[in-house]
Amino acid sequence: MRPLAAIVDLSAIVHNYQVAKRCAPGRQAFAVVKANAYGHGVREVVTVLHDIADGFAVASLEEAAEVRAMHGEARILLLAGCFEPDEFAIAAQLELDVVLQSDAQVRALAAAELSRPLNVWLKLDTGMHRLGFAADTLTQWHAQLSVAPQVGEINLISHLACADERGHPLNEQQIERFLELADLPFSQRSLANSAAVLTLPAAHMDWIRPGLMLYGATPLADLGVRELDLKPALTLAARVIAVREVAAGESVGYGASWVAERPTRIATVCCGYADGYPRHAPSGTPVLVEGRRTVLVGRVSMDMLSVDISDVPEAGVDSPVELWGASLPVDEVAAACGTLAYELLSRLSVRVPRRYIG
Ligand SMILES: *Cc1c(COP(=O)(O)O)cnc(C)c1O
């Protein structure tokens, strides 16, 4: 068997969910499990949070149906709402909570025949300018929907553009715009993603929406998982499959882009960009071999990458390698690659078998 796996510690996800809840005492939480629970496996994550999470949030009806099949009662929020008019009837059958972010969605809902009323979340565009209504439009729709037979609860939702940057002026502005509408009779209100859960108590409202933090990665550039008491849930673990000595002046890998400046011991590791390891990871990206920190050298191939193990004398063929995880935060690897933990986790390929512990 190819020596590469994603080891997912489900107890870490439970711990991180509890950290989110402790950050926002008395509030409820939608555990965000879109994109296959950020690559961790939606079935296993929903199962371990089954009796703990107040609700779940997903990006599509297909994802919602998968969660509903595992959980008969939970509130399940469709974050971007329905994409087609006929999805409203299915959403009602599945007893989902749906975001309404466009006039077309509201009209389709008002024309739909539903088996039961839907709880709706009117999305206010507070400044991200991706989805949602202007305040006056939202106020009008609120009035119309409050007498619509298709509608149960009317709730308010918005999304923060810069919550990961503490002190960014847009944060206060978005919270203010959100609160300006709070006088309308909404049943529930929700604004906070992970970054806001961790750093913006004024944004907590009634329901928080933690995603990334559940998986033990940090959305904040200046606060790491250790300071935040988050536990990395996924360890991308591989083994060394070959070792060689490379003389000074010799190159390693495609394009001969990395050249040894001194005699170097090179380990070839069984993980590549077809597994979701970023191809653009530069030489110098951290990697753990035998639990010791060393660096990637040369270009990442489809199925393999190379690591300098000159300073890890005990390393050899079969040595364990951690590409990221419990001992090497994915945030650090992402930073070295000029991307975010969000991308590395959600792009981990289906080729990598997931193994569950905890
Ligand atoms: C994905 C998503 C979240 C979760 O964001 P994190 O930064 O991962 O916590 C919350 N709200 C919306 C609307 C989302 O799309």
Side-chain angles (χ1 to χ4, degrees), residues 30-34 38 57-59 77 79-80 99 123 130-131 157-160 190-197 208-215 219 342:
F30 286 114
V32 181
V33 295
K34 62 189 178 188
Y38 292 46
V58 294
L77 174 63
L79 286 167
V99 165
K123 185 144 186 168
R130 186 176 67 174
L131 293 178
I157 192 167
S158 188
H159 194 48
L160 296 166
S190 176
L191 180 57
N193 56 5
S194 293
V197 169
I208 55 172
R209 306 192 305 271
L212 187 73
M213 68 179 292
L214 297 180
Y215 308 103
Y342 293 90

mmCIF file of all heavy atoms in Angstrom, residues 30-34 38 57-59 77 79-80 99 123 130-131 157-160 190-197 208-215 219 342, ligand 1:
data_model
loop_
_atom_site.group_PDB
_atom_site.id
_atom_site.type_symbol
_atom_site.label_atom_id
_atom_site.label_comp_id
_atom_site.label_asym_id
_atom_site.label_seq_id
_atom_site.Cartn_x
_atom_site.Cartn_y
_atom_site.Cartn_z
ATOM 1 N N PHE A 30 -23.656 26.628 14.400
ATOM 2 C CA PHE A 30 -23.695 25.780 13.214
ATOM 3 C C PHE A 30 -22.269 25.309 12.972
ATOM 4 O O PHE A 30 -21.391 26.122 12.662
ATOM 5 C CB PHE A 30 -24.146 26.573 11.980
ATOM 6 C CG PHE A 30 -25.609 26.912 11.933
ATOM 7 C CD1 PHE A 30 -26.038 28.235 12.004
ATOM 8 C CD2 PHE A 30 -26.559 25.915 11.784
ATOM 9 C CE1 PHE A 30 -27.391 28.556 11.929
ATOM 10 C CE2 PHE A 30 -27.913 26.217 11.708
ATOM 11 C CZ PHE A 30 -28.326 27.541 11.789
ATOM 12 N N ALA A 31 -22.015 24.013 13.092
ATOM 13 C CA ALA A 31 -20.712 23.480 12.703
ATOM 14 C C ALA A 31 -20.667 23.470 11.176
ATOM 15 O O ALA A 31 -21.496 22.831 10.533
ATOM 16 C CB ALA A 31 -20.546 22.067 13.254
ATOM 17 N N VAL A 32 -19.711 24.194 10.595
ATOM 18 C CA VAL A 32 -19.666 24.296 9.133
ATOM 19 C C VAL A 32 -18.941 23.070 8.577
ATOM 20 O O VAL A 32 -17.759 22.835 8.885
ATOM 21 C CB VAL A 32 -19.006 25.615 8.683
ATOM 22 C CG1 VAL A 32 -18.997 25.709 7.162
ATOM 23 C CG2 VAL A 32 -19.766 26.816 9.277
ATOM 24 N N VAL A 33 -19.675 22.265 7.812
ATOM 25 C CA VAL A 33 -19.140 20.993 7.294
ATOM 26 C C VAL A 33 -19.210 20.931 5.768
ATOM 27 O O VAL A 33 -19.281 19.858 5.184
ATOM 28 C CB VAL A 33 -19.854 19.775 7.932
ATOM 29 C CG1 VAL A 33 -19.569 19.700 9.428
ATOM 30 C CG2 VAL A 33 -21.369 19.823 7.697
ATOM 31 N N LYS A 34 -19.192 22.118 5.131
ATOM 32 C CA LYS A 34 -19.195 22.145 3.658
ATOM 33 C C LYS A 34 -17.891 21.536 3.131
ATOM 34 O O LYS A 34 -16.928 21.375 3.904
ATOM 35 C CB LYS A 34 -19.340 23.590 3.176
ATOM 36 C CG LYS A 34 -18.212 24.517 3.600
ATOM 37 C CD LYS A 34 -18.531 25.973 3.289
ATOM 38 C CE LYS A 34 -17.423 26.886 3.772
ATOM 39 N NZ LYS A 34 -17.787 28.307 3.666
ATOM 40 N N TYR A 38 -14.358 20.338 5.144
ATOM 41 C CA TYR A 38 -13.017 20.886 4.866
ATOM 42 C C TYR A 38 -12.012 19.742 4.632
ATOM 43 O O TYR A 38 -10.865 19.792 5.079
ATOM 44 C CB TYR A 38 -12.539 21.785 6.003
ATOM 45 C CG TYR A 38 -13.296 23.096 6.184
ATOM 46 C CD1 TYR A 38 -14.680 23.147 6.179
ATOM 47 C CD2 TYR A 38 -12.612 24.290 6.382
ATOM 48 C CE1 TYR A 38 -15.369 24.334 6.353
ATOM 49 C CE2 TYR A 38 -13.293 25.500 6.567
ATOM 50 C CZ TYR A 38 -14.677 25.509 6.557
ATOM 51 O OH TYR A 38 -15.353 26.690 6.736
ATOM 52 N N ALA A 57 -23.831 23.536 8.883
ATOM 53 C CA ALA A 57 -23.981 24.426 7.734
ATOM 54 C C ALA A 57 -23.225 23.850 6.550
ATOM 55 O O ALA A 57 -22.122 23.313 6.712
ATOM 56 C CB ALA A 57 -23.458 25.827 8.060
ATOM 57 N N VAL A 58 -23.849 23.959 5.367
ATOM 58 C CA VAL A 58 -23.302 23.363 4.150
ATOM 59 C C VAL A 58 -23.496 24.320 2.977
ATOM 60 O O VAL A 58 -24.194 25.326 3.099
ATOM 61 C CB VAL A 58 -23.990 22.019 3.830
ATOM 62 C CG1 VAL A 58 -23.679 20.965 4.876
ATOM 63 C CG2 VAL A 58 -25.494 22.213 3.692
ATOM 64 N N ALA A 59 -22.901 23.976 1.826
ATOM 65 C CA ALA A 59 -22.906 24.878 0.683
ATOM 66 C C ALA A 59 -23.889 24.487 -0.413
ATOM 67 O O ALA A 59 -24.096 25.259 -1.345
ATOM 68 C CB ALA A 59 -21.493 24.972 0.091
ATOM 69 N N LEU A 77 -28.188 24.424 7.826
ATOM 70 C CA LEU A 77 -28.281 25.712 7.133
ATOM 71 C C LEU A 77 -27.618 25.626 5.768
ATOM 72 O O LEU A 77 -26.457 25.213 5.649
ATOM 73 C CB LEU A 77 -27.595 26.797 7.978
ATOM 74 C CG LEU A 77 -27.463 28.184 7.353
ATOM 75 C CD1 LEU A 77 -28.840 28.798 7.087
ATOM 76 C CD2 LEU A 77 -26.640 29.100 8.268
ATOM 77 N N LEU A 79 -25.948 27.592 3.193
ATOM 78 C CA LEU A 79 -25.292 28.899 3.331
ATOM 79 C C LEU A 79 -25.533 29.860 2.173
ATOM 80 O O LEU A 79 -25.545 31.065 2.371
ATOM 81 C CB LEU A 79 -23.780 28.703 3.517
ATOM 82 C CG LEU A 79 -23.342 28.188 4.886
ATOM 83 C CD1 LEU A 79 -21.889 27.725 4.843
ATOM 84 C CD2 LEU A 79 -23.525 29.243 5.958
ATOM 85 N N ALA A 80 -25.672 29.339 0.961
ATOM 86 C CA ALA A 80 -25.934 30.240 -0.174
ATOM 87 C C ALA A 80 -27.365 30.060 -0.673
ATOM 88 O O ALA A 80 -27.734 30.609 -1.710
ATOM 89 C CB ALA A 80 -24.938 29.988 -1.296
ATOM 90 N N VAL A 99 -30.722 30.161 3.366
ATOM 91 C CA VAL A 99 -30.372 31.571 3.192
ATOM 92 C C VAL A 99 -31.109 32.082 1.959
ATOM 93 O O VAL A 99 -31.242 31.366 0.952
ATOM 94 C CB VAL A 99 -28.843 31.731 3.035
ATOM 95 C CG1 VAL A 99 -28.479 33.109 2.480
ATOM 96 C CG2 VAL A 99 -28.155 31.494 4.379
ATOM 97 N N LYS A 123 -30.146 37.379 3.927
ATOM 98 C CA LYS A 123 -28.734 37.768 3.963
ATOM 99 C C LYS A 123 -28.593 39.240 3.667
ATOM 100 O O LYS A 123 -29.025 39.730 2.616
ATOM 101 C CB LYS A 123 -27.929 36.954 2.946
ATOM 102 C CG LYS A 123 -26.435 37.245 3.040
ATOM 103 C CD LYS A 123 -25.630 35.995 2.792
ATOM 104 C CE LYS A 123 -24.154 36.238 3.027
ATOM 105 N NZ LYS A 123 -23.409 34.985 3.054
ATOM 106 N N ARG A 130 -20.486 40.290 -1.803
ATOM 107 C CA ARG A 130 -20.440 39.021 -2.542
ATOM 108 C C ARG A 130 -21.869 38.529 -2.715
ATOM 109 O O ARG A 130 -22.301 38.242 -3.822
ATOM 110 C CB ARG A 130 -19.581 38.015 -1.758
ATOM 111 C CG ARG A 130 -19.332 36.718 -2.483
ATOM 112 C CD ARG A 130 -18.409 35.792 -1.710
ATOM 113 N NE ARG A 130 -19.009 35.313 -0.474
ATOM 114 C CZ ARG A 130 -18.454 34.399 0.327
ATOM 115 N NH1 ARG A 130 -17.271 33.875 0.031
ATOM 116 N NH2 ARG A 130 -19.065 34.020 1.429
ATOM 117 N N LEU A 131 -22.621 38.455 -1.612
ATOM 118 C CA LEU A 131 -24.017 38.038 -1.649
ATOM 119 C C LEU A 131 -24.820 38.938 -0.714
ATOM 120 O O LEU A 131 -24.275 39.534 0.213
ATOM 121 C CB LEU A 131 -24.176 36.594 -1.155
ATOM 122 C CG LEU A 131 -23.591 35.449 -1.969
ATOM 123 C CD1 LEU A 131 -23.844 34.124 -1.237
ATOM 124 C CD2 LEU A 131 -24.190 35.377 -3.369
ATOM 125 N N ILE A 157 -28.819 37.095 8.544
ATOM 126 C CA ILE A 157 -27.455 36.564 8.432
ATOM 127 C C ILE A 157 -26.611 37.503 7.584
ATOM 128 O O ILE A 157 -27.128 38.193 6.698
ATOM 129 C CB ILE A 157 -27.470 35.132 7.820
ATOM 130 C CG1 ILE A 157 -26.109 34.440 7.950
ATOM 131 C CG2 ILE A 157 -27.944 35.149 6.368
ATOM 132 C CD1 ILE A 157 -26.148 32.939 7.650
ATOM 133 N N SER A 158 -25.323 37.563 7.884
ATOM 134 C CA SER A 158 -24.374 38.268 7.025
ATOM 135 C C SER A 158 -23.006 37.631 7.223
ATOM 136 O O SER A 158 -22.848 36.733 8.061
ATOM 137 C CB SER A 158 -24.342 39.764 7.360
ATOM 138 O OG SER A 158 -23.562 40.461 6.395
ATOM 139 N N HIS A 159 -22.027 38.059 6.434
ATOM 140 C CA HIS A 159 -20.704 37.432 6.468
ATOM 141 C C HIS A 159 -19.640 38.522 6.485
ATOM 142 O O HIS A 159 -19.776 39.537 5.798
ATOM 143 C CB HIS A 159 -20.543 36.533 5.229
ATOM 144 C CG HIS A 159 -19.394 35.577 5.302
ATOM 145 N ND1 HIS A 159 -19.143 34.781 6.402
ATOM 146 C CD2 HIS A 159 -18.434 35.267 4.398
ATOM 147 C CE1 HIS A 159 -18.068 34.028 6.166
ATOM 148 N NE2 HIS A 159 -17.627 34.309 4.959
ATOM 149 N N LEU A 160 -18.583 38.298 7.272
ATOM 150 C CA LEU A 160 -17.535 39.307 7.450
ATOM 151 C C LEU A 160 -16.398 39.080 6.453
ATOM 152 O O LEU A 160 -15.941 37.961 6.262
ATOM 153 C CB LEU A 160 -16.992 39.242 8.874
ATOM 154 C CG LEU A 160 -18.011 39.592 9.980
ATOM 155 C CD1 LEU A 160 -17.485 39.169 11.348
ATOM 156 C CD2 LEU A 160 -18.337 41.078 9.958
ATOM 157 N N SER A 190 -27.188 35.784 12.852
ATOM 158 C CA SER A 190 -25.894 35.091 12.765
ATOM 159 C C SER A 190 -24.921 35.885 11.907
ATOM 160 O O SER A 190 -25.265 36.331 10.806
ATOM 161 C CB SER A 190 -26.087 33.696 12.153
ATOM 162 O OG SER A 190 -24.841 33.060 11.977
ATOM 163 N N LEU A 191 -23.705 36.068 12.430
ATOM 164 C CA LEU A 191 -22.705 36.858 11.691
ATOM 165 C C LEU A 191 -21.294 36.259 11.742
ATOM 166 O O LEU A 191 -20.518 36.451 10.812
ATOM 167 C CB LEU A 191 -22.688 38.290 12.273
ATOM 168 C CG LEU A 191 -21.723 39.305 11.667
ATOM 169 C CD1 LEU A 191 -21.966 39.473 10.162
ATOM 170 C CD2 LEU A 191 -21.860 40.660 12.358
ATOM 171 N N ALA A 192 -20.961 35.511 12.792
ATOM 172 C CA ALA A 192 -19.554 35.207 13.065
ATOM 173 C C ALA A 192 -19.057 33.916 12.424
ATOM 174 O O ALA A 192 -19.593 32.831 12.679
ATOM 175 C CB ALA A 192 -19.326 35.142 14.574
ATOM 176 N N ASN A 193 -17.996 34.021 11.616
ATOM 177 C CA ASN A 193 -17.206 32.867 11.183
ATOM 178 C C ASN A 193 -16.139 32.584 12.260
ATOM 179 O O ASN A 193 -16.124 33.235 13.307
ATOM 180 C CB ASN A 193 -16.573 33.138 9.812
ATOM 181 C CG ASN A 193 -15.724 34.418 9.821
ATOM 182 O OD1 ASN A 193 -15.537 35.053 10.858
ATOM 183 N ND2 ASN A 193 -15.217 34.786 8.661
ATOM 184 N N SER A 194 -15.221 31.656 11.985
ATOM 185 C CA SER A 194 -14.233 31.286 13.018
ATOM 186 C C SER A 194 -13.476 32.497 13.552
ATOM 187 O O SER A 194 -13.306 32.650 14.761
ATOM 188 C CB SER A 194 -13.215 30.295 12.453
ATOM 189 O OG SER A 194 -13.813 29.079 12.150
ATOM 190 N N ALA A 195 -12.978 33.326 12.637
ATOM 191 C CA ALA A 195 -12.150 34.454 13.076
ATOM 192 C C ALA A 195 -12.926 35.360 14.008
ATOM 193 O O ALA A 195 -12.399 35.842 15.020
ATOM 194 C CB ALA A 195 -11.645 35.238 11.859
ATOM 195 N N ALA A 196 -14.205 35.586 13.705
ATOM 196 C CA ALA A 196 -15.030 36.442 14.558
ATOM 197 C C ALA A 196 -15.391 35.742 15.859
ATOM 198 O O ALA A 196 -15.492 36.379 16.911
ATOM 199 C CB ALA A 196 -16.291 36.869 13.806
ATOM 200 N N VAL A 197 -15.581 34.423 15.805
ATOM 201 C CA VAL A 197 -15.815 33.671 17.041
ATOM 202 C C VAL A 197 -14.644 33.911 18.000
ATOM 203 O O VAL A 197 -14.822 34.152 19.191
ATOM 204 C CB VAL A 197 -15.958 32.158 16.752
ATOM 205 C CG1 VAL A 197 -15.920 31.340 18.043
ATOM 206 C CG2 VAL A 197 -17.244 31.884 15.984
ATOM 207 N N ILE A 208 -23.305 31.255 16.090
ATOM 208 C CA ILE A 208 -21.986 31.386 15.469
ATOM 209 C C ILE A 208 -21.853 30.329 14.362
ATOM 210 O O ILE A 208 -22.602 29.345 14.346
ATOM 211 C CB ILE A 208 -20.853 31.251 16.509
ATOM 212 C CG1 ILE A 208 -20.982 29.930 17.287
ATOM 213 C CG2 ILE A 208 -20.870 32.447 17.470
ATOM 214 C CD1 ILE A 208 -19.794 29.631 18.189
ATOM 215 N N ARG A 209 -20.919 30.557 13.439
ATOM 216 C CA ARG A 209 -20.730 29.626 12.308
ATOM 217 C C ARG A 209 -19.259 29.230 12.174
ATOM 218 O O ARG A 209 -18.591 29.584 11.201
ATOM 219 C CB ARG A 209 -21.212 30.274 11.000
ATOM 220 C CG ARG A 209 -22.634 30.800 11.030
ATOM 221 C CD ARG A 209 -23.149 31.157 9.644
ATOM 222 N NE ARG A 209 -22.334 32.093 8.908
ATOM 223 C CZ ARG A 209 -22.453 33.420 8.949
ATOM 224 N NH1 ARG A 209 -23.371 33.982 9.711
ATOM 225 N NH2 ARG A 209 -21.660 34.190 8.219
ATOM 226 N N PRO A 210 -18.719 28.506 13.148
ATOM 227 C CA PRO A 210 -17.312 28.114 13.046
ATOM 228 C C PRO A 210 -17.087 27.042 11.989
ATOM 229 O O PRO A 210 -17.807 26.046 11.955
ATOM 230 C CB PRO A 210 -16.992 27.578 14.446
ATOM 231 C CG PRO A 210 -18.315 27.077 14.959
ATOM 232 C CD PRO A 210 -19.363 27.990 14.370
ATOM 233 N N GLY A 211 -16.089 27.263 11.155
ATOM 234 C CA GLY A 211 -15.687 26.256 10.169
ATOM 235 C C GLY A 211 -14.249 25.862 10.438
ATOM 236 O O GLY A 211 -13.966 24.931 11.190
ATOM 237 N N LEU A 212 -13.327 26.634 9.885
ATOM 238 C CA LEU A 212 -11.907 26.277 9.949
ATOM 239 C C LEU A 212 -11.435 25.897 11.353
ATOM 240 O O LEU A 212 -10.678 24.941 11.521
ATOM 241 C CB LEU A 212 -11.062 27.445 9.421
ATOM 242 C CG LEU A 212 -9.580 27.102 9.280
ATOM 243 C CD1 LEU A 212 -9.366 26.172 8.087
ATOM 244 C CD2 LEU A 212 -8.739 28.358 9.112
ATOM 245 N N MET A 213 -11.872 26.648 12.362
ATOM 246 C CA MET A 213 -11.339 26.382 13.705
ATOM 247 C C MET A 213 -11.722 24.993 14.220
ATOM 248 O O MET A 213 -10.991 24.410 15.015
ATOM 249 C CB MET A 213 -11.763 27.472 14.700
ATOM 250 C CG MET A 213 -13.235 27.495 15.022
ATOM 251 S SD MET A 213 -13.655 28.816 16.235
ATOM 252 C CE MET A 213 -12.850 28.221 17.734
ATOM 253 N N LEU A 214 -12.842 24.449 13.720
ATOM 254 C CA LEU A 214 -13.245 23.107 14.156
ATOM 255 C C LEU A 214 -12.188 22.073 13.790
ATOM 256 O O LEU A 214 -12.066 21.024 14.430
ATOM 257 C CB LEU A 214 -14.551 22.681 13.482
ATOM 258 C CG LEU A 214 -15.801 23.499 13.769
ATOM 259 C CD1 LEU A 214 -16.971 22.909 13.000
ATOM 260 C CD2 LEU A 214 -16.081 23.522 15.260
ATOM 261 N N TYR A 215 -11.463 22.381 12.728
ATOM 262 C CA TYR A 215 -10.495 21.417 12.213
ATOM 263 C C TYR A 215 -9.099 21.673 12.772
ATOM 264 O O TYR A 215 -8.123 21.053 12.378
ATOM 265 C CB TYR A 215 -10.555 21.436 10.679
ATOM 266 C CG TYR A 215 -11.997 21.245 10.240
ATOM 267 C CD1 TYR A 215 -12.774 22.324 9.797
ATOM 268 C CD2 TYR A 215 -12.614 20.005 10.389
ATOM 269 C CE1 TYR A 215 -14.125 22.152 9.481
ATOM 270 C CE2 TYR A 215 -13.956 19.831 10.079
ATOM 271 C CZ TYR A 215 -14.701 20.909 9.621
ATOM 272 O OH TYR A 215 -16.031 20.735 9.331
ATOM 273 N N PRO A 219 -7.612 30.905 11.561
ATOM 274 C CA PRO A 219 -7.917 31.862 10.508
ATOM 275 C C PRO A 219 -7.124 33.160 10.685
ATOM 276 O O PRO A 219 -7.196 34.041 9.834
ATOM 277 C CB PRO A 219 -9.417 32.128 10.717
ATOM 278 C CG PRO A 219 -9.641 31.902 12.175
ATOM 279 C CD PRO A 219 -8.626 30.875 12.625
ATOM 280 N N TYR A 342 -7.295 26.840 4.710
ATOM 281 C CA TYR A 342 -8.564 26.519 4.041
ATOM 282 C C TYR A 342 -8.316 25.753 2.750
ATOM 283 O O TYR A 342 -8.973 24.762 2.450
ATOM 284 C CB TYR A 342 -9.302 27.805 3.649
ATOM 285 C CG TYR A 342 -9.816 28.660 4.769
ATOM 286 C CD1 TYR A 342 -9.037 29.669 5.313
ATOM 287 C CD2 TYR A 342 -11.104 28.482 5.257
ATOM 288 C CE1 TYR A 342 -9.521 30.485 6.314
ATOM 289 C CE2 TYR A 342 -11.599 29.292 6.268
ATOM 290 C CZ TYR A 342 -10.804 30.289 6.795
ATOM 291 O OH TYR A 342 -11.288 31.090 7.796
HETATM 292 C C1 LIG B 1 -17.552 28.832 5.021
HETATM 293 C C2 LIG B 1 -18.399 29.812 5.735
HETATM 294 C C3 LIG B 1 -18.287 29.984 7.129
HETATM 295 C C4 LIG B 1 -17.192 29.335 7.939
HETATM 296 O O1 LIG B 1 -16.042 30.146 7.827
HETATM 297 P P1 LIG B 1 -14.690 29.797 8.602
HETATM 298 O O2 LIG B 1 -13.814 30.946 8.302
HETATM 299 O O3 LIG B 1 -14.189 28.521 8.037
HETATM 300 O O4 LIG B 1 -15.051 29.680 10.037
HETATM 301 C C5 LIG B 1 -19.185 30.823 7.755
HETATM 302 N N1 LIG B 1 -20.135 31.482 7.052
HETATM 303 C C6 LIG B 1 -20.251 31.359 5.713
HETATM 304 C C7 LIG B 1 -21.294 32.127 4.994
HETATM 305 C C8 LIG B 1 -19.389 30.539 5.013
HETATM 306 O O5 LIG B 1 -19.491 30.439 3.683
#
